[in-house]
Amino acid sequence: MNIKQGLLIGCCLLSALYLKGQDKVTEAYKEPFRPQVHFSPAKKWMNDPNGMVFYKGVYHLFFQYYPNGTKWGPMHWGHAESSDMIHWRQMPVALYPDSLGYIFSGSAVVDEHNTSGFGKNGQVPLVAIFCQHDPKGEKAGKDNFQTESIAYSLDEGKTWTKYPGNPVLKNPGIRDFRDPKVMWYAPENKWVMTLATKDRITFFSSPNLKDWNKESEFGKDKGGHGGVWECPDLFPLQLDGKTYWVLLVSVNPGGPNGGSGTQYFIGDFDGKTFTAINTETKWIDYGPDDYAGVTWSNTGKRKIFLGWMSNWIYAAQVPTEKWRNAMTVPRELSLKQINGVIFLSSKPVMELRHIALKSVSTATAKDTALMPVFSSLPDQYILKFNTDKINDYSIILSNDVGEKLVIGYDKSKNKYYIDRTKSGKIDFNPEFAGIFFAPRLSSAQASNLELIVDASSIELFADNGLSVISSIFFPNKPYNHLRFQNNKVMTIKNKEVFPLKSIW
Ligand code: FRU
């Protein structure tokens, strides 16, 4: 065999191995309950989204990852990349635990002006800022075992080098001191870190991502305090030409429908202090399965949110075998004013259209009490419709073994709901079955609804994203029937089902 032949055989072997690897990945995404239009890791445990940053046409998604098990364990940062936030390619693990501890949640920024000095030869560094959780310190009963560290990448997020001067922010003795979300505050040419510190948010600032000074605190006696505060985010959004600042704060437990949930405050931020306009507790998503969500950095005025589609109550018990837990669909955030109160609204990103096929029905159901509409359903789809009045209705997804998921609006309560009490496998945790309500916030006399249905999840966006409910489910057979139920007073119009192509 000559060198040429040898090389050829070598190449063939390598590509065969690669293709086999790819097959394995594709096979992995055919398992029961495997989301087809949401990101989930090919295998093993995942929780919070981390380090979400957009750079050079690529959306990076890092995530809390335990590569050796399907339950939470020593945390790494897993990594996935996408050019549209819809199709994902899982990458090698980005950050491994070290002597300072596990790699907990955090964020990533594009250090355009090379304030950190990590950039070499004009190369712009990406800098990740994350919490390190030292399990030994925790075991020893210390209270300063969570600190903040940084790492940088000079190859567009592929590989990361930890800063030798870590940690960059030491712990003053607060047991819960984590989840740094960093942004560039242009008016003062400085970085601002929003950090969850037990029962409040603490803001820090830095000229270079390495030296941090405390600026202020917010929230000790504001908002929901059913559990510890985690995974905050702070960003500006415009409404009618005015800038408002939005502060997201996840809380666990204490969510609106039990367990984990994400609240938000709307107010003002002057580079030092956040002041809320109104401190009534509001939730970005009322469902049980949207936690620790934050927004992508470096997306300009567009603010795109993604959450972990599970709940700490049962995340380690859900009946999936090789992998555990997925993310929500990315959602574009905006502000809306209703009767003088400003709310955050979430809408699935328009990039979802990349995988939407032509709608299969535009039939209008007129004055029909119980109307079977679709006898066979696509595997995953978007269902959209609107109503001409505000009245009770429900949508029933069911399968041939008598399991069902009910979605609807209850006029007497003025609430939307998702009922998963008879949805299939529910016994893995006593708190899984339930009916989850979200208040209707819109005051319009007509409504619209958009549902994103995947193999084991549903996301409800009502009234242009003002009321949101995300819920996972595990039917013993896929739901293959869909019917609407409504009284004669109201018409459900413009029903459309858009089948979605699998992203895998
Ligand atoms: C939120 C959280 C974070 C922490 C991470 C650990 O779900 O508890 O506060 O950084 O998960 O995995």
Side-chain angles (χ1 to χ4, degrees), residues 45 47-48 50 64-65 72-73 75 103-106 131 133 146 176 178-180 196 228-231 250 252 260 291-292 308 312:
W45 169 273
N47 56 285
D48 316 356
N50 294 152
Q64 289 287 279
Y65 189 46
W72 190 91
M75 282 290 115
I103 315 294
F104 269 23
S105 287
C131 167
H133 172 101
Q146 296 189 337
D176 298 289
R178 57 177 178 269
D179 309 338
V228 66
W229 280 21
E230 302 183 312
C231 299
S250 283
N252 179 59
S260 322
Y291 191 60
W308 176 49
W312 281 113

Side-chain angles (χ1 to χ4, degrees), residues 408-473:
Y409 171 73
D410 180 332
K411 192 178 179 197
S412 64
K413 295 191 168 75
N414 194 28
K415 284 179 176 168
Y416 294 97
Y417 63 89
I418 293 181
D419 177 348
R420 67 178 177 196
T421 52
K422 299 190 175 65
S423 59
K425 294 187 196 298
I426 51 171
D427 295 344
F428 53 87
N429 184 292
E431 288 178 66
F432 183 78
I435 309 177
F436 309 109
F437 290 96
R440 178 165 199 261
L441 302 172
S442 167
S443 51
Q445 288 311 304
S447 75
N448 59 66
L449 200 89
E450 177 164 357
L451 296 173
I452 300 183
V453 183
D454 201 344
S456 52
S457 66
I458 181 158
E459 292 157 278
L460 172 155
F461 302 88
D463 303 311
N464 302 317
L466 268 175
S467 302
V468 181
I469 311 179
S470 302
S471 168
I472 54 174
F473 53 75

Side-chain angles (χ1 to χ4, degrees), residues 289-321:
D289 299 306
D290 178 2
Y291 191 60
V294 289
T295 59
W296 256 283
S297 81
N298 203 36
T299 51
K301 288 218 163 115
R302 242 185 130 189
K303 290 294 160 213
I304 306 157
F305 169 96
L306 183 89
W308 176 49
M309 199 155 49
S310 195
N311 192 308
W312 281 113
I313 294 177
Y314 43 71
Q317 295 160 344
V318 294
T320 57
E321 276 176 16

